Amino acid sequence: MWRSFIQVDPVLGLTAAFCVAGILVASAIPKLRAMAYFEEIVVEYRLLPEALARPLARFLPWLELALALALMASRARSFAALAVALLVSAFGLAIAINLLRGRSRIDCGCGVADAGSSLSWPMLGRNVFLLVLLAICACDSTARTLLAIDSVTVVAGGGALIGLYLTADYLLANLPRLNEQRS
């Protein structure tokens, strides 16, 4: 079994896992509700042939939900964190490739707060935030007994981190309008 060199308090690891799992669920649900639209977004990225892009689009939300569940299971957390980190990195790479191609008017397809928002470089900062949380999830937890107050800390801390993520997401979704008002 893979072991991390860094150990964190289990509350910190659980809080990070709770946050990322919440974001994955919040991302998957809108995709499942508007699957045809999400398929079009994945095709529009033009990274895969349409014959592969559509099945991938149908698979991604289910993968996100499965990984969200796996993050909450202590035995699977490190593996799930690595899998989500690969997924987040792939999403970031897809965004970067399209931005470098000059194709910024594509809907991100992230499914949280940015329906209809265009791609932008600051979106990659959101992915870095997730990667930091996933690194914490992948660390070994120190051995200590969890107390009842720890569950409050996990839920409150995870909720606060989700709120921070969603706030950044809404700001990114409205970035074009904010830039227009500055001009």
Side-chain angles (χ1 to χ4, degrees):
M1 172 149 189
W2 178 78
R3 304 234 356 127
S4 139
F5 292 106
I6 300 171
Q7 289 194 336
V8 298
D9 188 278
V11 171
L12 186 59
L14 279 170
T15 301
F18 182 78
C19 174
V20 175
I23 290 167
L24 287 171
V25 170
S27 175
I29 290 172
K31 293 172 187 171
L32 290 169
R33 286 185 177 156
M35 182 55 69
Y37 179 67
F38 181 62
E39 283 182 30
E40 294 304 319
I41 292 169
V42 174
V43 168
E44 185 61 25
Y45 269 81
R46 297 183 188 164
L47 296 173
L48 295 170
E50 189 172 340
L52 294 176
R54 290 191 184 282
L56 176 66
R58 287 189 295 273
F59 173 72
L60 279 174
W62 297 107
L63 177 63
E64 290 173 338
L65 290 174
L67 290 172
L69 285 174
L71 280 170
M72 298 314 299
S74 61
R75 293 192 185 270
R77 188 167 301 125
S78 291
F79 173 76
L82 176 61
V84 176
L86 291 173
L87 193 61
V88 167
S89 297
F91 292 159
L93 183 61
I95 291 169
I97 287 170
N98 275 282
L99 287 171
L100 290 170
R101 290 176 175 172
R103 303 186 73 241
S104 62
R105 299 235 184 254
I106 301 170
D107 184 332
C108 171
C110 301
V112 182
D114 51 18
S117 67
S118 300
L119 301 182
S120 66
W121 289 107
M123 278 185 175
L124 298 178
R126 184 177 61 176
N127 291 24
V128 171
F129 173 75
L130 289 175
L131 291 172
V132 169
L133 291 175
L134 290 163
I136 293 169
C137 290
C139 292
D140 287 333
S141 293
T142 56
R144 81 166 177 87
T145 303
L146 293 175
L147 306 172
I149 192 69
D150 291 331
S151 61
V152 173
T153 303
V154 168
V155 172
L161 289 171
I162 291 170
L164 179 65
Y165 180 88
L166 291 175
T167 300
D169 221 32
Y170 280 109
L171 287 172
L172 288 172
N174 290 297
L175 191 60
R177 282 181 238 138
L178 291 171
N179 287 335
E180 281 178 23
Q181 288 180 356
R182 285 185 191 155
S183 300

